[in-house]
Amino acid sequence: SLKNRYLIRAYHQTLGNFLWTLPATLFRDLAALAWVCLFERTSLASYRWIWTHRGTITARRRAIQARRTAPAWHLDRWFLRRSLPLNASPADSSPAGSSPVRVLDADD
């Protein structure tokens, strides 16, 4: 799971999202590295794998980003405090929160 977290970020995270989440993710990543170094040394292989495959990871990121169908802002705005409701489409230009969101009951 450690390796997967870094791969997901490497493949999909935008620059805006990276900067927005940097303080929290930096703290969490340093804490995870400390935990691995002190208590779970078998997971050091994840860091080694990511380092040795960084060229392949970068090439795959370029391929994934080249296939992206929405601009970075349409993705980044989902992570802001005043994010879009779940039923909003990326083409929707209405202000955040203006579209009604249907809440499912146990009967749905």
Side-chain angles (χ1 to χ4, degrees):
S1 82
L2 187 67
K3 180 174 77 171
N4 288 338
R5 178 177 356 128
Y6 293 119
L7 288 176
I8 292 286
R9 268 197 245 153
Y11 294 151
H12 303 288
Q13 191 171 37
T14 64
L15 178 61
N17 182 267
F18 172 76
L19 295 173
W20 180 258
T21 60
L22 183 62
T25 55
L26 182 61
F27 176 77
R28 188 181 188 292
D29 290 347
L30 289 174
L33 179 60
W35 178 267
V36 166
C37 288
L38 295 173
F39 303 108
E40 196 180 324
R41 298 189 62 81
T42 57
S43 293
L44 282 172
S46 297
Y47 290 103
R48 190 175 318 109
W49 188 93
I50 288 170
W51 180 255
T52 57
H53 291 88
R54 65 189 182 276
T56 306
I57 293 168
T58 303
R60 186 163 181 199
R61 175 186 169 76
R62 282 190 198 112
I64 289 169
Q65 294 298 317
R67 292 189 313 258
R68 186 172 63 195
T69 59
W73 170 244
H74 285 186
L75 302 174
D76 287 343
R77 67 185 181 171
W78 287 92
F79 298 97
L80 298 175
R81 286 195 180 119
R82 298 187 55 80
S83 64
L84 295 173
L86 292 177
N87 65 347
S89 68
D92 183 17
S93 60
S94 61
S98 64
S99 301
V101 175
R102 181 171 179 246
V103 177
L104 299 176
D105 317 334
D107 298 333
D108 287 343

